[in-house]
Amino acid sequence: MKKIISIINQKGGVGKTTTAINLAASLAILEKKTLLIDFDPQANATTGLNNFDIENDFSIYDAMIGSEKMLDTISNTSLDFLHFIKSDTNLVGCEIELVTLSNREKQLLKLINRVKKNYDYILIDCPPSLGLLTLNALTASTDVLIPIQSEFFALEGLKSLQETIKIVKENINSNLNILGLLITMHTKRLRLSKKVERLLKTNFKNKLFKTKISRNVRLAEAPDDGKPAIMYDVNCSGAKDYMDLALEIINEKR
């Protein structure tokens, strides 16, 4: 079954874009046809892949406003099984432009429907907010992946995100599913990390991924080099963690 996965958390600094980039690369290395869409006006995924053979003048904004076809915004990358659609700062104004449209929450869905037959996985790197862009992503998705840092304050905001997902599921997209919560920036030795993990297991049960993304210098360095961690240092723990996550998603074992 094809999966369209929104990677979302309205709290910044939890590894959302790092997860989008590295999960997409790992799925592609496992020979799953994968499309990564940078749907964040901050365009961090686009910056983080600036040395990855991406050549396209068009962005997701161009497709959203109808000036370019969705197919024409897709770029090849250094990985044969990974395609990418970049973002740019023009996407900031997209929410205002969408307000006047009928079915404004379904614009991204319409675009993805035109290309989804070509992919096994489509990943959407969402903005760190719960606005109209994020609503478009949730409407277009089959699943939601929530990265969460293993610290106490990272738990804040989960309730409002859950409520948003529930509203979308009940009113717009009945097929929407929480694929899982992913613990990021994990340090095994910290008592707080263990406490946060216990709280998540208690509250989300089988929705917590077994894979945890450990704190890793090479993983943090990779975006500066403009490529996923697995192409920057295949042996680093961060690259291995995201490969484990990709396998867990493919096998759907929780």
Side-chain angles (χ1 to χ4, degrees):
M1 177 182 173
K2 295 178 184 292
K3 284 190 178 295
I4 303 166
I5 305 171
S6 277
I7 300 172
I8 179 173
N9 193 324
Q10 75 270 34
K11 187 180 186 302
V14 298
K16 178 180 62 65
T17 297
T18 298
T19 296
I21 289 173
N22 289 287
L23 175 57
S26 297
L27 289 168
I29 286 170
L30 293 168
E31 298 190 352
K32 299 298 180 181
K33 295 176 183 176
T34 304
L35 172 65
L36 172 59
I37 302 173
D38 187 350
F39 205 53
D40 185 347
Q42 296 178 87
N44 288 332
T46 301
T47 302
L49 292 175
N50 64 13
N51 191 25
F52 209 51
D53 294 338
I54 293 165
E55 296 181 3
N56 199 318
D57 292 332
F58 305 128
S59 71
I60 189 63
Y61 171 77
D62 297 307
M64 288 290 288
I65 65 169
S67 63
E68 300 295 336
K69 294 179 180 178
M70 183 67 161
L71 197 61
D72 292 335
T73 66
I74 297 173
S75 175
N76 294 326
T77 71
S78 298
L79 290 172
D80 290 341
F81 285 82
L82 178 60
H83 288 167
F84 180 64
I85 301 179
K86 71 179 185 180
S87 180
D88 59 38
T89 54
N90 288 324
L91 199 58
V92 171
C94 194
E95 291 200 17
I96 298 171
E97 296 174 62
L98 287 172
V99 166
T100 59
L101 300 178
S102 59
N103 293 320
R104 52 187 173 269
E105 75 282 358
K106 296 182 179 180
Q107 297 308 302
L108 183 61
L109 172 65
K110 293 176 186 176
L111 296 174
I112 286 178
N113 281 342
R114 294 168 189 167
V115 300
K116 68 180 183 182
K117 66 180 183 295
N118 301 323
Y119 300 101
D120 301 308
Y121 292 90
I122 297 176
L123 306 186
I124 307 170
D125 185 22
C126 295
S129 66
L130 297 179
L132 191 50
L133 290 178
T134 296
L135 180 58
N136 263 262
L138 293 175
T139 302
S141 295
T142 59
D143 295 271
V144 179
L145 189 159
I146 306 169
I148 181 164
Q149 192 173 348
S150 54
E151 63 175 33
F152 180 76
F153 289 113
L155 297 172
E156 293 186 353
L158 267 183
K159 187 174 181 181
S160 60
L161 177 55
Q162 283 181 283
E163 187 61 30
T164 299
I165 293 169
K166 181 182 177 183
I167 290 169
V168 172
K169 186 177 178 71
E170 290 177 349
N171 295 282
I172 306 172
N173 180 6
S174 60
N175 296 317
L176 189 62
N177 171 60
I178 295 180
L179 184 63
L181 279 77
L182 174 69
I183 294 176
T184 62
M185 304 178 197
H186 183 65
T187 305
K188 293 179 183 178
R189 292 184 297 273
L190 285 182
R191 187 181 303 170
L192 179 59
S193 294
K194 294 177 182 178
K195 183 176 181 180
V196 170
E197 186 175 352
R198 284 197 302 271
L199 284 169
L200 290 171
K201 281 182 177 177
T202 299
N203 289 290
F204 294 94
K205 297 182 175 62
N206 66 332
K207 289 299 182 182
L208 185 64
F209 284 108
K210 291 183 174 68
T211 303
K212 294 181 281 289
I213 311 301
S214 56
R215 287 189 181 275
N216 178 235
V217 172
R218 303 295 276 174
L219 182 63
E221 289 175 347
D224 288 336
D225 201 50
K227 59 185 67 168
I230 203 163
M231 306 295 285
Y232 178 64
D233 182 353
V234 68
N235 293 313
C236 75
S237 62
K240 292 176 181 178
D241 289 343
Y242 277 109
M243 183 58 71
D244 287 344
L245 176 64
L247 288 168
E248 187 173 347
I249 289 172
I250 289 170
N251 295 324
E252 293 195 77
K253 293 178 180 178
R254 194 69 43 78

